[in-house]
Amino acid sequence: MYASVIEVLEIVKEEGVHDQQSVETGVLIDIMESFDFIFTMHLMIDILGITDELSQTLQRKDQDIENAMKLVQISKQRLQLLVVI
């Protein structure tokens, strides 16, 4: 999906109706290709992957508090391991 977004932005940059649109699109491309942006996106994928099961459990109407508390602990441990690695 990332490559597709960059591709579309490149098209908008080249075929932009206004000069300002081309400039803004160029800035977006530069930001999206920066180390900080890519690192942050990879980190968010890891974090959301770890917390997804907990999030789904907490959104259920039939809340199992005991199970949710276990998932909180598991998520916390996994996040702490992510920091160590």
Side-chain angles (χ1 to χ4, degrees):
M1 181 190 253
Y2 174 81
S4 299
V5 171
I6 294 293
E7 185 177 328
V8 169
L9 288 173
E10 289 285 354
I11 292 169
V12 171
K13 180 181 175 184
E14 292 172 13
E15 300 176 7
V17 178
H18 305 289
D19 289 337
Q20 181 68 21
Q21 189 177 41
S22 294
V23 171
E24 289 175 358
T25 306
V27 170
L28 282 174
I29 292 169
D30 290 343
I31 290 170
M32 290 182 69
E33 290 178 339
S34 71
F35 173 81
D36 289 343
F37 182 84
I38 294 170
F39 177 78
T40 302
M41 290 301 104
H42 279 284
L43 186 61
M44 289 305 301
I45 288 170
D46 291 342
I47 291 171
L48 293 174
I50 290 170
T51 60
D52 181 56
E53 187 178 359
L54 174 62
S55 175
Q56 296 298 322
T57 299
L58 293 175
Q59 292 179 49
R60 286 192 208 134
K61 291 187 182 204
D62 59 334
Q63 295 262 341
D64 179 3
I65 300 300
E66 185 177 343
N67 185 41
M69 291 302 295
K70 287 178 185 176
L71 286 173
V72 167
Q73 288 299 321
I74 291 169
S75 296
K76 181 180 172 183
Q77 290 170 352
R78 288 181 181 166
L79 289 169
Q80 288 172 335
L81 285 175
L82 183 66
V83 172
V84 173
I85 296 174

